[in-house]
Amino acid sequence: MEITRRNFVKATAVSLAMAAAGAAGAGALAGCSSEKGSSAGASKDGTTTYTGVCRFCGTGCGVTVQAKNGKIVSVAGDPDNCSNKGLNCVKGYYLGELLTGEDRLTKPLIRDDASTKGTDGGLREATWDEALDLVADKLRTQWKDDKSKIGLWLSGQQPITEGYLTNKFWKAGLLSNNVDCNARQCMASAVMGFMNIFGTDEPAGCYEDLDLADTFVTWGANMAECHPVLYSRFMAHKMSSDSVKHYDLTTVKTRTSANADKVMVFSPGSDIAIANAICNYIIQNNLYDQQFLNDHIQFKLGTENLGNAFDDGYDKTPAGAAANDVTPATWDQIVERFAPYTLEYASQVSGVPAADIEELAKEYADPNRKIMTLWTMGVNQHNRGTWMNHCIYNIHFLVGKIAKPGNGPFSLTGQPSACGTAREVGSFCHRLPADLLVANEQHRRYTEAIWNLPEGYLDAIKAPGMHTVKMFREMSKGNLNFLWSAHNNWAVSMPNLTRFLGLKDEYKGIFSCFTVVNEVYPTKSTQYADVVFPVAMWMEREGQFGNGERHTAVFEKACEAPGDAWWDNKVFLEVALRVLDGEKIGDADAFDALFGQIYDKNAHDFKNDMHETNRLLWEEYRTFSNPDMNDKAKAIDANADGKFAGPMHMKAKQLAPYDVYFDQHDLTWPVREINGKWVPTKWRFNDGGSQEDGFDKIGVEEMGTPGKYGDLSFYKTPNQRPSFVFRPYEPPAQEPSDEYPFWFCTGRLLEHWHTGSMTMRIPELKRAVPDGLIYMNAQDASKLGIADGDRVKVSSPYGSVEITATTANRFDCSPGYTFAAFFDDRVLINKIVEDLYDPISKESDFKKTCVKIEKA
Amino acid sequence: MKSTNKPKMLVAGVIVATMAFGFAIAGCSSQPKSLATTNDITYAEGQPPLMPANDHQGRWESLGVKGCLGCHGYNSDGNPTNAYATQIPDDHYVNGDHNGQLTSEREQCIQCHPLDDPSTR
């Protein structure tokens, strides 16, 4: 009898899990073998199976975890999870070990002498009460004195209900927008692209497109290392047919280039010239989809000659202040602006042969080929990152290939919940939950309705706060007196660490800024902390992630956190109740008004167990995308009194009731209830098929216009017309010189996650790649007298580091190009990374530093 | 069940010299087994073993999945082909059948089996 691949992989996961459990009874795994996903169930020998999600990259692989005697004993892929269908990469299979590193933080720590910051010493153990009282006192004092000098830095690795709670505390409790997150440094350019173009964040397509496309274009994305399971998925599809093609556009050849049909190595920053040349070719040769443009698109021009955001005052310069301004344009104007972008011009700027660009343009234009463009940090961490996002959509718009099965631009996500928490929850200095903006009055009224705040209460936060780079720049100058970070390791991941770690005389702010870090292991960031809170990680508590395809997944609590480590939510609530002590919102006690439904401040404990607490938080959060749950919100959403510009269409991001996610592992939002069953949407804005088949039938019927060209209706976009914005090529902020002759790019490797604080504690992953290395071209190394394995000094205008050089071909660098991953905090490569950001998204450019290299 | 139609990914008689280094053979995961080891690492169930570095350096880059299957996969000479190599578990094959093809999603071997080498480049 034939079995489907899904059933097969499922059987594999079950057999693995059973073997690990020592022949666990089949009953334990009953959930796995039903059509629905599994949730916790105990077996006879004390082994329990839990639903989980990998806590590393943005792919969001579902995992099945078995725990016994309080310890995780096996991790297998979850075949019911639509994102990975049972597969993991090496990091996923070793997830269990990340909890048990020898140096887990188990006690609160306090630093009494700030001059010991940056050293291994200076922290002493403290009680929770002492640490909480100290942090609350510092925060409350600074908040009362000058709340512009407090900051909170969150993460795309924070579970959804935790991000929701901390944002509510900061924005509604402290009325401060100085909250931003590390997704700013990861996805912000993609976010600004989505918002500018569609008026709604996150992609129209889904991972299933990887099984359906005829042509794949990876552009600034090393998927083989950074999204391994998705790479395997499209490679599997590619190998299944001789007609599937892959084009890889990159500045350094990577493992992703290895199996590509064509690799196009371009000069840093010239990607926009290539994209515009593709558009121009399609226009000049009349290969565009006229009706798609007529029926769906509006054209715009934007501010140009933006300069670069090197200086702290950039945002207030004329170019900085107007960076995201646009004006309507005609088709003729657009055509005229593209005209200079000939194949020859793009070739000259980029170094890519004109014939290759032409071939790719034809590939995009071929009406018989479905095409998927995939990109990540090469596009986002870019001094013109938002522009480059626009450019990719421009190409897809011209040929009408978007939001259709197998067809679409697809922004890959960096972190496990960059979408779910950072973006959907709104952990940004300008956002409220569910895409809402602090600056928009209707959005504030809507949020007040759901948070049960007096009308106008949030007008106090209508001005955005400090974005990430501004927060750290101000901190380094002594203008931030309280900084709290959680679920991240800023002291390794930020650029220009030479400045932010106080290694330069004029920037000593880190020593005077009271710094709080929630952490699981000692890191560079805890070396700079005044207080360290030890917290639960991964499946030591229950949580939720939202991945790059709008898929929401839950992970169950499978074991206890070690020692005195707490759930982050308890830490934040205990500080909140102290800081808000005696404060009022209207006539109500402020803490109780915000968190009384889940937390008893007198008992210093949650009112319910962790699952119910999460459920209550989720149901409140879910109201943002289910306005029918709140009458006041419903009226504002519908613009019932005509006070605002129009309806908000909040159901466009509809989420399901919390418990549904434990039974179903295939819920990509918007989810729709049909006859009591919750059904995902795979292709947003497309009503070319039934809701049950993954099309956005209900969304288009309720909020859009059925029957439009291509079965598409962009109902969340103003005028239902996404924006095609011409963006010109402007050269990189810096280019190699006699003094700094090499391009230097940072990024990730397969084996290590971000700053290595977790994966460097998994013995097998550390063995696989124990040291951060700088990859060089062999001829370049030879000219400098550098042999493979030599120590070198790498310097930029920002600082210098010592690191081991290699000429091995994991990264095949052309002459003049170098690459290093940033996981090794002994190297601390980001000390040399340039400090400038995209003027629109405020995301740092980590990819184009100019450096010199000498033998150490 | 969709199957691949490209013979290029089959075990295609890639003959390599018998390796001098023996290590315990991991059984297929459908049967509970003792823990596999390579070099001096002990692996728990479900943890993919690393590739020993001393004789695998550069193999993935030059040969890809064919190189892996040449020793670790099945052919008429045995399973694995090279008796000293770690056997690819049956769950890596389509329908769990090592006479057939590797599941196409599992062809990027390096994604779960990185090189174990302190000097990995």
Side-chain angles (χ1 to χ4, degrees), chain A residues 91-156:
Chain A
K91 290 191 294 298
Y93 289 117
Y94 282 97
L95 273 165
E97 293 186 17
L98 73 87
L99 305 174
T100 54
E102 287 174 359
D103 53 347
R104 270 299 292 272
L105 294 169
T106 59
K107 299 262 186 209
L109 303 171
I110 289 177
R111 185 183 306 279
D112 295 313
D113 176 2
S115 71
T116 63
K117 284 186 178 182
T119 70
D120 287 334
L123 289 166
R124 65 169 170 85
E125 289 186 358
T127 64
W128 271 103
D129 275 341
E130 184 188 10
L132 291 165
D133 286 344
L134 176 60
V135 169
D137 177 58
K138 293 285 183 183
L139 176 55
R140 186 180 166 97
T141 302
Q142 185 58 50
W143 178 54
K144 291 281 186 189
D145 181 45
D146 178 359
K147 72 179 178 187
S148 74
K149 295 186 174 181
I150 61 172
L152 174 64
W153 204 49
L154 297 173
S155 171

Side-chain angles (χ1 to χ4, degrees), chain A residues 689-708:
Chain A
S690 71
Q691 186 72 42
E692 288 85 346
D693 286 337
F695 293 87
D696 200 357
K697 195 83 182 170
I698 291 176
V700 172
E701 272 173 11
E702 289 191 9
M703 290 166 271
T705 313
K708 290 185 76 175

Side-chain angles (χ1 to χ4, degrees), chain A residues 176 349 373 825:
Chain A
S176 167
V349 170
T373 310
D825 66 2

Side-chain angles (χ1 to χ4, degrees), chain A residues 597-805:
Chain A
Q597 79 281 25
I598 56 164
Y599 207 74
D600 182 338
K601 68 177 183 178
N602 297 316
H604 291 274
D605 205 355
F606 292 96
K607 290 180 171 173
N608 300 283
D609 65 20
M610 187 177 280
H611 176 72
E612 180 63 9
T613 301
N614 270 306
R615 198 190 65 78
L616 289 167
L617 284 167
W618 179 269
E619 291 302 305
E620 182 184 304
Y621 167 55
R622 186 170 80 90
T623 312
F624 280 90
S625 62
N626 288 269
D628 292 351
M629 293 167 69
N630 178 310
D631 287 342
K632 218 165 153 185
K634 185 179 176 184
I636 297 165
D637 176 62
N639 193 26
D641 61 6
K643 191 177 169 193
F644 303 106
M648 295 168 73
H649 293 325
M650 295 306 290
K651 263 180 88 178
K653 296 175 81 85
Q654 191 172 17
L655 297 169
Y658 190 51
D659 284 327
V660 174
Y661 292 93
F662 289 80
D663 291 331
Q664 267 179 267
H665 300 172
D666 63 343
L667 292 174
T668 46
W669 59 259
V671 293
R672 308 298 184 192
E673 192 177 15
I674 302 175
N675 301 325
K677 181 172 166 55
W678 289 86
V679 178
T681 302
K682 294 176 189 171
W683 296 284
R684 273 208 289 180
F685 316 126
N686 186 324
D687 68 341
S690 71
Q691 186 72 42
E692 288 85 346
D693 286 337
F695 293 87
D696 200 357
K697 195 83 182 170
I698 291 176
V700 172
E701 272 173 11
E702 289 191 9
M703 290 166 271
T705 313
K708 290 185 76 175
Y709 179 66
D711 300 315
L712 299 176
S713 171
F714 296 96
Y715 56 81
K716 192 73 164 69
T717 312
N719 306 325
Q720 299 201 32
R721 283 181 177 270
S723 295
F724 183 120
V725 191
F726 170 81
R727 302 297 193 179
Y729 166 72
E730 292 181 2
Q734 300 176 99
E735 296 187 67
S737 61
D738 288 346
E739 190 178 5
Y740 299 105
F742 292 98
W743 287 112
F744 171 68
C745 178
T746 69
R748 294 201 302 238
L749 299 178
L750 166 71
E751 293 86 349
H752 287 296
W753 171 248
H754 280 190
T755 66
S757 60
M758 289 173 282
T759 50
M760 284 291 266
R761 285 172 171 91
I762 295 175
E764 292 80 1
L765 298 178
K766 188 175 180 186
R767 281 181 69 125
V769 184
D771 299 300
L773 305 166
I774 186 162
Y775 293 81
M776 296 183 69
N777 175 274
Q779 288 175 329
D780 286 342
S782 172
K783 278 185 208 161
L784 295 167
I786 295 165
D788 190 34
D790 278 355
R791 294 289 284 177
V792 294
K793 182 182 176 191
V794 185
S795 310
S796 77
Y798 296 88
S800 64
V801 295
E802 256 196 48
I803 184 171
T804 301

Side-chain angles (χ1 to χ4, degrees), chain B residues 73-95:
Chain B
Y74 166 89
N75 80 356
S76 53
D77 294 336
N79 185 25
T81 300
N82 180 327
Y84 295 99
T86 301
Q87 185 190 71
I88 295 173
D90 284 358
D91 64 31
H92 285 35
Y93 293 92
V94 174
N95 293 337

Side-chain angles (χ1 to χ4, degrees), chain A residues 103-343:
Chain A
D103 53 347
R104 270 299 292 272
L105 294 169
T106 59
K107 299 262 186 209
L109 303 171
I110 289 177
R111 185 183 306 279
D112 295 313
D113 176 2
S115 71
T116 63
K117 284 186 178 182
T119 70
D120 287 334
L123 289 166
R124 65 169 170 85
E125 289 186 358
T127 64
W128 271 103
D129 275 341
E130 184 188 10
L132 291 165
D133 286 344
L134 176 60
V135 169
D137 177 58
K138 293 285 183 183
L139 176 55
R140 186 180 166 97
T141 302
Q142 185 58 50
W143 178 54
K144 291 281 186 189
D145 181 45
D146 178 359
K147 72 179 178 187
S148 74
K149 295 186 174 181
I150 61 172
L152 174 64
W153 204 49
L154 297 173
S155 171
Q157 293 166 63
Q158 189 179 26
I160 291 171
T161 53
E162 296 181 28
Y164 177 75
L165 182 146
T166 39
N167 272 281
K168 189 179 178 187
F169 168 39
W170 220 256
K171 285 169 182 159
L174 301 181
L175 291 173
S176 167
N177 282 328
N178 281 350
V179 48
D180 218 55
C181 71
N182 64 0
R184 173 75 67 181
Q185 301 290 60
C186 174
M187 301 303 302
S189 299
V191 171
M192 290 310 295
F194 280 119
M195 294 304 284
N196 283 354
I197 296 164
F198 300 98
T200 184
D201 198 2
E202 305 189 36
C206 62
Y207 293 164
E208 196 171 321
D209 293 327
L210 295 166
D211 308 329
L212 303 170
D214 301 307
T215 302
F216 295 93
V217 183
T218 47
W219 203 325
N222 181 10
M223 285 178 75
E225 300 223 42
C226 303
H227 298 86
V229 167
L230 299 182
Y231 178 74
S232 286
R233 189 162 170 178
F234 96 66
M235 285 301 293
H237 175 53
K238 181 172 188 289
M239 291 303 167
S240 74
S241 163
D242 283 323
S243 66
V244 176
K245 289 192 214 163
H246 172 206
Y247 293 81
D248 184 41
L249 284 83
T250 182
T251 58
V252 169
K253 283 188 192 171
T254 68
R255 283 185 180 170
T256 305
S257 315
N259 290 304
D261 296 283
K262 181 145 279 174
V263 182
M264 296 160 69
V265 177
F266 60 90
S267 171
S270 67
D271 41 4
I272 290 180
I274 296 171
N276 285 352
I278 290 170
C279 287
N280 189 47
Y281 183 90
I282 290 168
I283 293 168
Q284 296 301 328
N285 291 283
N286 291 317
L287 299 173
Y288 52 93
D289 185 337
Q290 184 73 60
Q291 194 175 350
F292 181 89
L293 297 174
N294 288 348
D295 290 7
H296 292 296
I297 296 297
Q298 55 182 316
F299 297 99
K300 291 176 180 172
L301 295 169
T303 305
E304 298 179 8
N305 299 308
L306 297 181
N308 280 290
F310 287 110
D311 295 331
D312 293 357
Y314 174 83
D315 293 350
K316 294 204 160 104
T317 62
N324 204 27
D325 292 354
V326 287
T327 50
T330 64
W331 170 248
D332 288 345
Q333 285 175 303
I334 294 291
V335 170
E336 187 187 333
R337 292 304 310 275
F338 276 119
Y341 292 88
T342 60
L343 297 174

Side-chain angles (χ1 to χ4, degrees), chain A residues 386-561:
Chain A
T386 306
W387 282 15
M388 186 54 201
N389 273 271
H390 275 279
C391 291
I392 293 172
Y393 293 107
N394 288 350
I395 300 172
H396 281 267
F397 286 153
L398 275 181
V399 293
K401 295 186 180 181
I402 187 166
K404 296 170 183 170
N407 251 330
F410 197 94
S411 159
L412 295 162
T413 314
Q415 302 183 79
S417 201
C419 292
T421 306
R423 292 159 64 177
E424 292 164 28
V425 164
S427 296
F428 292 108
C429 65
H430 65 297
R431 281 269 195 102
L432 291 164
D435 285 359
L436 303 183
L437 301 170
V438 295
N440 183 304
E441 188 187 355
Q442 190 178 13
H443 295 184
R444 294 195 301 275
R445 294 295 93 81
Y446 186 80
T447 306
E448 289 158 1
I450 293 168
W451 286 350
N452 199 23
L453 300 171
E455 188 173 325
Y457 192 77
L458 294 179
D459 287 351
I461 56 164
K462 66 181 173 187
M466 286 190 230
H467 59 79
T468 291
V469 175
K470 183 163 178 61
M471 199 183 279
F472 281 92
R473 285 183 178 180
E474 292 303 319
M475 181 275 286
S476 73
K477 292 190 289 188
N479 296 333
L480 197 74
N481 291 335
F482 182 96
L483 174 65
W484 193 347
S485 68
H487 311 268
N488 58 54
N489 185 10
W490 67 267
V492 180
S493 66
M494 283 296 291
N496 195 10
L497 288 174
T498 303
R499 170 174 173 174
F500 299 137
L501 296 182
L503 304 173
K504 266 185 170 172
D505 284 343
E506 66 267 41
Y507 297 118
K508 293 292 185 190
I510 185 59
F511 294 99
S512 58
C513 179
F514 189 84
T515 307
V516 184
V517 174
N518 290 20
E519 252 303 0
V520 295
Y521 285 113
T523 62
K524 207 76 187 166
S525 298
T526 64
Q527 285 188 0
Y528 286 87
D530 291 278
V531 171
V532 179
F533 289 127
V535 289
M537 70 187 299
W538 194 42
M539 291 173 71
E540 291 165 353
R541 89 293 209 196
E542 182 176 302
Q544 320 75 23
F545 285 153
N547 76 356
E549 64 164 348
R550 296 173 278 105
H551 178 221
T552 314
V554 290
F555 53 91
E556 297 172 289
K557 180 178 174 178
C559 57
E560 294 296 328

